[in-house]
Amino acid sequence: MMELLASIHCYFWSPSRTICLWMSLVLLLQYSKTVVSKSDYLIGLGSYDITGPAADVNMMGYANAEQIASGIHFRLRARSFIVAEPQGKRVVFVNLDACMASQLVTIKVIERLKARYGELYTEQNVAISGIHTHAGPGGYLQYVVYLITSLGFVRQSFDVLVDGIEKSIIQAHENLRPGSIFVNKDSGFSTGELLDASVNRSPSAYLNNPASERRKHKYDVDKEMTLLKFVDDQWGPVGSFNWFATHGTSMSRTNSLISGDNKGAAARFMEDWFEKNGIKSSDTNESGSDGLPRRVSNIIPNIHDDNNKLLELATSFRSSPGSPATQTMSVARRVRGALKQAEKPGFVSAFCQTNCGDVSPNVLGAFCTDTGLPCDFNHSTCGGKNELCYGRGPGYPDEFESTRIIGERQFRKAVDLFEKASEQLKGEVDYRHTYIDFSQLEVTLTKVGGGSEVVKTCPAAMGFAFAAGTTDGPGAFDFKQGDDQGNPFWRLVRDVLKTPDKKQVDCQHPKPILLDTGEMKQPYDWAPSVLPIQILRIGQFVILSVPGGKFTTMSGRRLRNAVKTVLTRSGNGEFGSNTYVVIAGLTNTYSQYVATLEEYQVQRYEGASTLYGPHTLSAYIQEFQKLATALIKGQPVEAGIPPPDLLQKQISLLTPVIMDSTPAGKNFGDVSSDVPANSTFKRGSTVTVVFWSSCPRNDLLTEGTFALVEMLQGKDTWTPMYDDDDFCLRFKWSRPSKLSPQSKATIEWIIPSSSSPGVYRIRHFGASKGLMGSIRHFTGSSSAFVVA
């Protein structure tokens, strides 16, 4: 403060005001720097491609055997942050553009981290969480029930996740620098509430919760977003992670393009926004008229303004025949790489999942496809059939538009919170982790009126209503939500696999058991029994890492409140009214849903998918309270018995790629269907080009691209503008028949309203497999065309 007083004195009394003003400014900047750079933490962020096989592999989420990947909507990524005390503990949080975390993936990532860093990163302080997109490749979990529709284990899906998570953590580790973290769930004039991105898809179950409890909450889903802003002392803002509850089901069960769904889209929008605009996010001049961040076309000057000259120039660039390429060409031509500064770490933004169990992004409601009328309230059926009841997103009937809208709504709220984040995290970095066998866990319940009773959880089992699906993705046959009886025919079918004994039936009551997965062991375990639970602490911010993939709205509220009560009533002053507790769903392993006891009685989809019986939520609350107590008291917890590593037992029935071929006289990368000659396209229209291609499983082109839009600069320089990591560019792959070695790649570019007029072309990259197993990379390009 003395420096500031001196500068004020200087201004009023010195005869050489100009010199004195400069001295004052220097002193002021030095004073400000000492305030801003005082950091409690080291922070580092990282991001890596985990897209996986874009062909032939069943997608994880809807359990629809016919939903097979055949292209890319936009790429998937693993995003990580590390927070460390300079001389103390550290925590790692990884957010995956994947349906959920996998116990087996977690085991192998930890093994690699221990091999590289020793005991610096272990299962104790590393959390790996999924966003719950239903449009990512499956086959990477280790339990049988989650591998049936993917024809068993898919090694490519598994490997790309393990590699990508490890590399994202390595990036974060290498980016560790002094920095600060700010938290926000209140954006000034409005709270962090996001009102138009979520609805409750099982309201009849929610209404079974006590009225007195429901009256405490304004909505039947959590509408609040909580955001962390990471600020590097040298570089300024370097990332943000936020938690908001809405399902990754804007893309439907019939979609076949790999996609991060609404949360992955929001992450793309925010990362692109920051790289172009930094904190000038609210300046409408920096965004396209469609409201989304502008791309590279913003920063490339428009050197052509005469359409006739553009057409004349475009006609000189006809489609090039397919030609050999190096493996790194698609990486070198990626758009985002052109914008990255060499020394500055790239901005990483993650939109994390929380208690989304009964929360849908299909905000228009659920309607019958045959009549257009609302579905039955209690069972979500239409004339008794669940398969006719579908939720509608805000872009109905266009699922891509629904994905964009829900993603954009989350993005805009995150930007609002990010720009106004001012509360700094301060305090210890700490963690607690243990393994718990949830199949026979004793839980002590407090009785109404006093006293207590001891109950037990059950071996895992799925109810009949599980097979009915949800309004986001209905099931088949004659199943329905809200079924607490079952039916004789499907009981006979069930008994072929495993007949539950009376003890299990009584334990799971009133759930009628369809699949007794916890007691099915052939050829290996069908469902998990041992689950990891974990608490991460960064100052007054606490993350509950829950393997119960999807807590319902009320389940999440009860768990958060229980843990917060333990923390704030500890009496040691570390936690107060400004304590933040968030649930990170689908973390470290996957064990489906967690409904409240009251919701469980209704047996809608969420209750039927609560594996360990009616007291599952009480078990979680009990065990997390123990972790929170140990955290507060600085006490260790028992490690518990770790879950099995079933990698060597995995079975895969997915047919490998034998070879690729093209028709006689055609090369890989040749154009099969070109743009029309002398073409001019307006912004908002779609350009489509078809290439002779090969199976994308031959090379995943990780951190590369299968599709690229280039713009002509000067007379012969092509600049990358959009790739298959962009929302506007779709890579679709197909073969004429299931066993055909021939295939085509259709690339569709929906021209953004922010694209600059000019000459463009579309390119395709790929890798073909020869009969002897050799892999050869190729590329090809379309004829040039004009965007006016």
Side-chain angles (χ1 to χ4, degrees), residues 124 227 558:
Q124 297 286 320
L227 178 138
R558 291 182 187 177

Side-chain angles (χ1 to χ4, degrees), residues 200-211:
N200 196 306
R201 70 185 186 188
S202 292
S204 61
Y206 180 87
L207 288 173
N208 208 44
N209 291 306

Side-chain angles (χ1 to χ4, degrees), residues 69-125:
S70 59
I72 297 174
H73 179 207
F74 58 90
R75 286 186 170 263
L76 311 179
R77 300 194 73 79
R79 296 174 171 90
S80 302
F81 73 70
I82 299 175
V83 179
E85 294 177 303
Q87 303 299 324
K89 294 180 179 179
R90 59 185 60 199
V91 294
V92 183
F93 187 87
V94 186
N95 187 65
L96 302 179
D97 286 346
C99 193
M100 68 280 290
S102 157
Q103 183 66 72
L104 188 57
V105 168
T106 301
I107 289 171
K108 296 307 174 184
V109 168
I110 297 301
E111 286 180 359
R112 289 192 183 188
L113 293 175
K114 287 182 177 180
R116 180 180 292 270
Y117 298 112
E119 294 300 309
L120 197 60
Y121 303 113
T122 71
E123 65 278 356
Q124 297 286 320
N125 63 345

